[in-house]
Amino acid sequence: MTRLLLKRILLGVLILWAVSVVVFLATQALPGDAARAILGREATPERLAALREQLQLGEPLHVQYLSWLGNLVQLDLGTSFSNGMPVSELLGERLNNSLALMLCATAISVPVALLAGTYSALRRDKAFDHTTSVLTLVLAALPEFVVGIVLVLVFSTGALNLLPAVYVMTESGSAWSDPVQLVLPTMTMVLAVSPYMVRIMRATMIEVLESEYVQQARLKGLPERTVILRHALPNSIGPVAQVVALQLAWLAGGVVIVEFLFRFPGIGFALVDAVNNRDLPVVQTLALAIAAVYIVVNLLADLVSLAANPKVRSAQ
Amino acid sequence: MPSRGRPITGPSRRDFFRYVAAGATAAGAGAVATGCAGGAVRKAPLPSGPPRYGGRLRVGIVGGSSKDTLDAHAPVTHPDQARVFQLYDTLLRFNDNYEIEPSLAESVESDPQAVTWTIRLREGVEFHNGKPLDAEDVIFTLRRISDPANPQSGAVGLTALDRDSLRALDNRTVRLTMLRPDVTLPDQFAQYANGIVPVGYDPDRPVGTGPFAFDSFEPGQQSVFTKHRNYWREGEPYLDELVISDFPDDTARVNALLGGQVDAIDQVPLGLLRVLDADPNLRLLESQTGAWLPFTMRVDRPPFDDVRVRQAFRLVVDRQQMIDQVLGGHGTVGNDLYSPLDQMYNSSLPQRTRDVAKARRLLKEAGKENLSVELVTSPVAAGTVEAAQVFAQQAAEAGIKVGIRRLDPGEFFGDQYLSWDFAQDFWFTRNFLSQAGNGSLPESPYNETHWAHPEFTDLVQRARATTDPAARRELIWRAQQIEWESGGHIIWGFPNQLDAHSVRVAGLGVDRSGIPLNSYGFRRAWLAR
């Protein structure tokens, strides 16, 4: 178990490094550089030369990359090309805001989806099951920006004027200080990740309910509640955890579109901005952060499956 | 196909655009677009009576990113521009009709040769930190803008300035000389990127003489400004506080206005006009401008090095159709000449209209039948990509194949910027000499068409050195005639500026500069109850 964990962590670090190389090369392949992007239409040769000098863009590529990587190892994320602020300072608040969004989305979607899936399985082919089935299919097919726009239409700019349509900065800069503004982006993300979880929970639960040990438990005369909570649920957690993990990992990337739509000051918004500005230190850092979320969440899912399944656990 | 007049009327303007146009047309210069469409929407009445003091105005501005700056002399994006107008004042300024008028300077006068200039400053102007404005601040500012080691936006317009000649005659008077005569100096002094800053200016703690003082700034997000209590204009500003938020996304900007999270937005997306117009509590603000979205043909490279090809390309354009399809009817037709608002604009030249037969004939004479060209486009301004598509259709009818190559702005402004054979660009309102200096002389920094016409250059140089308006007009008219006959721009129209605001917001008017929301003139804005 410990060896497996160590192996996975090592692999994770390797993947992160590979991501940094790919992202570095990809941003270099983008036409134009940060100086061009910053000056845009105002890029006279004189002003370009002056700015490139300031940003030290004249250095060869491998020198730029190695100095960035070297600083990273010392936990120094470098400074943003766009505004000269330290990347850690620039992204600190953003990361905090995105985490707020992701945590809210997770806290709502996971229990709701697992409950809905289980209930559907128990009420198989009844009205609730059918409704859930259609609803999750439709939601799964809709891109999240469509879901977001519909929510805005319904709750802020159309019939009801209940919730803010876009995010407007608060005095403190932290998303936690004004939870009302989190509602619509959170709902959008919940609706984007829940359908798969509901469907997989239902399918797994049905399979488990039809298994021999559940039949056995029922034949033993155990109350239905005990059958479900003690026997069925734990056995369905393993496979479901994998899908839940994938969906949560998606949140880290999917946050880009949702944040852009709601003008939410998080890492997704910052990433779009940094790519447009060719702000390499920021793009690199964000790509690594998102990749790290993927890796960690998947690792956690593996652990949950292992813990839920003694057979696999003892085989290691 | 008829060969004269306007043979192709194209699909008629779509109904919703007509509806919106009716609702938003400004009733002439100086009038606020009141949006009385008379249709289903009953608009709430505009606030009337004397301006009310106090309150906080929240505006949503297009664009912006983490590269946002508060530097008076380096604005790039619209939010940068909007902030510069609040924090700083220029020596002179453009009024709503794009005429130059005094601002921080009472007068800017030259000798008859346009070489030695005297700037006389207004008395009793105070910076946000309480320091009085004096001649040294003006000298510091002009040196900062034109610093050869770190040239700022306005440096291009000040190349003729002799930096070493700047000196203060007294507290309120600055004397300077030019390396060569230049009557456009007042024009440069009125450009928003040339705001006056105090000696020792630090953009991280920006101080100016503008109507609003700096409070807080989050690049790419929002900035907050507070009323400058000792502002030199009597009675202004009316607002206590101003919040400027960046909105790179059109949908978010419009949603914020509809949802009441901002009170005004600039650059209404044409596709969303109807939504805004249908709201009784919102007003559209529409201004005719001198801003332009040209196609640029390189006159030094084939096939456009042949003047007949350039003329043919200009003749295939159905200008009214461009206005209707690209701008939804919100614009005025162009005649391949820029600076239509300049008092010296050559209005004697005939309006060029579509003539496909003549275009074909010219191409045949040039030996360029069945011509195939690549048009490089990018969404660098609203309407550019759409204009490219409409142009490709119109040119096809004259047997010209136009392949459209769409790039993202980063690539468009990349290493090949200003060297594309056939591309597009965008410009705000400018007067002729200032515009020619920026883009139509061999040494101009943005000479997209690589225009280097000796006679044209000579006329422009002479006009710059001519202080007598009548003589200058004659030179400019001749220069424009040359450009009209053989230049490399296709200037099909001038888009209107379209903004929107809540009915609570008063004081913003029509403005011809092309700079949104009455040149971001929030010093004149006030909030009704």
Side-chain angles (χ1 to χ4, degrees):
Chain A
M1 180 87 177
T2 320
R3 251 189 64 206
L4 179 79
L5 200 65
L6 278 176
K7 245 167 76 182
R8 291 295 307 267
I9 289 174
L10 204 70
L11 190 68
V13 172
L14 210 68
I15 292 172
L16 279 180
W17 173 75
V19 167
S20 84
V21 174
V22 170
V23 171
F24 181 82
L25 292 177
T27 31
Q28 289 299 330
L30 285 173
D33 62 8
R36 283 257 179 219
I38 288 168
L39 292 174
R41 180 69 164 64
E42 310 274 326
T44 58
E46 295 78 23
R47 298 194 70 199
L48 268 182
L51 187 59
R52 285 197 175 126
E53 182 82 17
Q54 282 170 31
L55 299 179
Q56 298 171 317
L57 293 179
E59 308 258 5
L61 289 189
H62 66 276
V63 175
Q64 286 188 42
Y65 175 74
L66 287 177
S67 87
W68 175 80
L69 194 67
N71 288 335
L72 185 69
V73 174
Q74 299 161 45
L75 297 180
D76 172 7
L77 299 172
T79 45
S80 156
F81 286 163
S82 301
N83 58 15
M85 265 165 67
V87 174
S88 48
E89 197 181 309
L90 190 77
L91 293 182
E93 196 61 60
R94 304 293 183 100
L95 209 61
N96 186 13
N97 290 345
S98 285
L99 279 178
L101 200 54
M102 285 187 257
L103 283 179
C104 290
T106 309
I108 296 171
S109 61
V110 174
V112 169
L114 297 191
L115 270 177
T118 309
Y119 194 66
S120 284
L122 294 172
R123 315 278 304 167
R124 201 173 164 189
D125 292 329
K126 299 268 169 53
F128 181 87
D129 186 32
H130 286 304
T131 319
T132 318
S133 170
V134 171
L135 218 74
T136 50
L137 257 182
V138 170
L139 282 173
L142 284 175
E144 54 275 14
F145 64 86
V146 174
V147 175
I149 287 171
V150 171
L151 287 178
V152 169
L153 265 175
V154 172
F155 291 104
S156 17
T157 62
L160 305 164
N161 203 332
L162 288 175
L163 295 164
V166 295
Y167 188 90
V168 175
M169 286 259 302
T170 54
E171 299 282 317
S172 74
S174 166
W176 293 108
S177 61
D178 191 4
V180 178
Q181 302 214 59
L182 282 171
V183 176
L184 282 187
T186 303
M187 268 165 83
T188 309
M189 299 191 84
V190 167
L191 291 178
V193 293
S194 300
Y196 298 100
M197 295 194 225
V198 174
R199 295 184 77 84
I200 195 76
M201 187 68 212
R202 175 184 177 274
T204 315
M205 199 65 187
I206 286 174
E207 209 174 289
V208 171
L209 287 175
E210 283 170 354
S211 68
E212 281 174 16
Y213 53 86
V214 170
Q215 308 281 343
Q216 187 71 35
R218 281 187 175 142
L219 286 175
K220 277 198 318 202
L222 289 175
E224 188 65 11
R225 239 186 57 162
T226 317
V227 173
I228 290 162
L229 290 181
R230 294 281 304 277
H231 298 268
L233 260 183
N235 281 298
S236 57
I237 288 298
V240 170
Q242 299 287 339
V243 172
V244 169
L246 271 179
Q247 290 301 304
L248 295 187
W250 176 90
L251 279 180
V255 87
V256 174
I257 292 157
V258 176
E259 287 184 1
F260 201 72
L261 182 69
F262 288 98
R263 195 183 159 274
F264 186 88
I267 55 167
F269 197 80
L271 184 62
V272 173
D273 195 72
V275 170
N276 282 334
N277 287 336
R278 311 284 189 263
D279 195 342
L280 201 56
V282 175
V283 176
Q284 284 277 35
T285 305
L286 286 176
L288 285 191
I290 291 173
V293 171
Y294 260 93
I295 291 165
V296 169
V297 170
N298 276 308
L299 189 62
L300 289 177
D302 285 353
L303 290 178
V304 170
S305 328
L306 283 178
N309 191 336
K311 231 193 276 175
V312 182
R313 191 169 55 210
S314 54
Q316 291 299 318
Chain B
M1 192 177 295
S3 62
R4 294 213 150 273
R6 277 183 49 218
I8 307 290
T9 47
S12 65
R13 193 185 302 172
R14 272 176 292 169
D15 280 344
F16 87 80
F17 278 134
R18 186 180 297 142
Y19 166 72
V20 167
T25 305
V32 181
T34 49
C36 297
V41 184
R42 287 258 315 263
K43 290 283 188 186
L46 278 173
S48 54
R52 210 174 66 86
Y53 280 88
R56 170 192 224 207
L57 178 72
R58 302 154 304 162
V59 289
I61 307 290
V62 63
S65 77
S66 58
K67 72 180 183 185
D68 278 6
T69 175
L70 291 168
D71 193 318
H73 305 135
V76 179
T77 60
H78 277 87
D80 287 349
Q81 230 181 28
R83 287 186 286 263
V84 158
F85 274 98
Q86 315 317 317
L87 289 171
Y88 314 101
D89 284 312
T90 45
L91 290 172
L92 305 170
R93 67 180 289 273
F94 292 104
N95 66 15
D96 296 345
N97 285 320
Y98 207 71
E99 296 149 356
I100 293 175
E101 64 174 31
S103 182
L104 290 185
E106 273 174 5
S107 67
V108 173
E109 281 160 353
S110 79
D111 62 348
Q113 282 73 46
V115 170
T116 304
W117 292 78
T118 311
I119 303 164
R120 184 80 181 144
L121 291 177
R122 185 178 298 276
E123 192 156 20
V125 178
E126 242 178 51
F127 285 102
H128 299 142
N129 58 8
K131 177 193 164 327
L133 167 77
D134 66 33
E136 291 302 328
D137 300 314
V138 175
I139 293 173
F140 173 84
T141 300
L142 293 177
R143 289 220 167 107
R144 182 173 192 267
I145 296 168
S146 57
D147 182 359
N150 190 14
Q152 305 292 321
S153 298
V156 174
L158 295 176
T159 44
L161 172 74
D162 178 7
R163 299 178 77 236
D164 302 326
S165 75
L166 285 160
R167 69 200 153 87
L169 297 189
D170 62 48
N171 251 348
R172 287 172 53 207
T173 318
V174 177
R175 171 71 50 83
L176 61 88
T177 54
M178 305 297 282
L179 300 169
R180 52 178 186 273
D182 191 354
V183 294
T184 69
L185 197 63
D187 204 291
Q188 302 308 330
F189 286 164
Q191 300 289 341
Y192 62 85
N194 292 339
I196 300 301
V197 297
V199 173
Y201 171 74
D202 174 6
D204 290 335
R205 283 185 301 281
V207 171
T209 64
F212 292 94
F214 169 72
D215 182 54
S216 73
F217 176 49
E218 181 84 19
Q221 284 291 320
Q222 76 181 25
S223 37
V224 180
F225 303 87
T226 51
K227 178 178 185 156
H228 180 190
R229 305 254 161 220
N230 294 328
Y231 190 51
W232 58 274
R233 281 180 204 269
E234 261 328 290
E236 293 180 1
Y238 301 104
L239 304 163
D240 285 340
E241 200 175 40
L242 174 69
V243 181
I244 294 177
S245 299
D246 293 14
F247 280 91
D249 183 51
D250 282 347
T251 317
R253 194 165 69 258
V254 171
N255 282 343
L257 182 65
L258 289 170
Q261 287 165 290
V262 295
D263 306 303
I265 59 168
D266 67 347
Q267 313 284 49
V268 174
L270 283 174
L272 294 170
L273 261 181
R274 190 172 55 160
V275 181
L276 293 175
D277 203 42
D279 189 319
N281 293 316
L282 298 180
R283 300 283 165 174
L284 291 169
L285 182 63
E286 177 162 15
S287 309
Q288 282 190 5
T289 75
W292 45 300
L293 300 170
F295 292 97
T296 59
M297 305 178 280
R298 264 186 76 167
V299 301
D300 60 337
R301 297 250 304 156
F304 301 111
D305 53 350
D306 189 324
V307 66
R308 290 168 297 192
V309 175
R310 303 202 289 274
Q311 286 166 348
F313 270 58
R314 285 168 157 190
L315 286 169
V316 301
V317 182
D318 182 337
R319 289 148 209 267
Q320 189 59 47
Q321 191 184 22
M322 277 280 189
I323 302 279
D324 290 345
Q325 294 199 346
V326 177
L327 306 176
H330 297 271
T332 44
V333 165
N335 194 23
D336 298 325
L337 291 176
Y338 44 78
S339 65
L341 303 184
D342 192 324
Q343 312 213 323
M344 302 199 174
Y345 179 75
N346 189 340
S347 49
S348 73
L349 294 166
Q351 172 64 47
R352 187 169 272 131
T353 51
R354 187 166 209 236
D355 191 338
V356 173
K358 193 171 168 194
R360 279 184 187 275
R361 201 161 62 238
L362 283 164
L363 286 174
K364 195 171 176 187
E365 278 170 32
K368 299 270 169 52
E369 285 166 291
N370 303 319
L371 188 60
S372 189
V373 293
E374 183 180 65
L375 172 58
V376 180
T377 188
S378 172
V380 292
T384 45
V385 176
E386 294 81 355
Q389 285 157 352
V390 175
F391 179 82
Q393 281 169 21
Q394 294 179 350
E397 290 163 39
I400 305 168
K401 253 195 226 102
V402 179
I404 293 177
R405 183 164 152 214
R406 187 191 157 137
L407 306 176
D408 84 280
E411 191 172 6
F412 186 81
F413 291 127
D415 292 334
Q416 277 173 280
Y417 176 48
L418 300 176
S419 47
W420 310 111
D421 287 348
F422 188 34
Q424 285 167 291
D425 209 338
F426 71 96
W427 290 93
F428 292 125
T429 306
R430 264 176 200 272
N431 285 326
F432 175 79
L433 286 178
S434 155
Q435 179 63 54
N438 267 280
S440 295
L441 299 179
E443 75 270 16
S444 297
Y446 306 105
N447 191 344
E448 320 99 326
T449 64
H450 293 236
W451 178 245
H453 192 290
E455 195 189 343
F456 177 91
T457 306
D458 178 57
L459 287 165
V460 170
Q461 308 286 27
R462 275 163 56 205
R464 270 185 177 171
T466 306
T467 43
D468 172 39
R472 188 157 81 232
R473 171 190 299 263
E474 201 167 307
L475 294 164
I476 288 178
W477 275 40
R478 268 166 58 203
Q480 290 198 319
Q481 175 143 19
I482 292 171
E483 189 140 0
W484 186 82
E485 281 162 359
S486 58
H489 286 122
I490 302 173
I491 301 171
W492 50 269
F494 303 94
N496 291 353
Q497 179 59 42
L498 271 163
D499 310 308
H501 58 79
S502 142
V503 74
R504 287 177 62 227
V505 181
L508 296 175
V510 167
D511 184 321
R512 308 191 78 186
S513 68
I515 299 169
L517 290 168
N518 201 178
S519 293
Y520 298 118
F522 304 126
R523 67 181 165 87
R524 295 193 280 186
W526 54 277
L527 288 170
R529 253 176 237 287

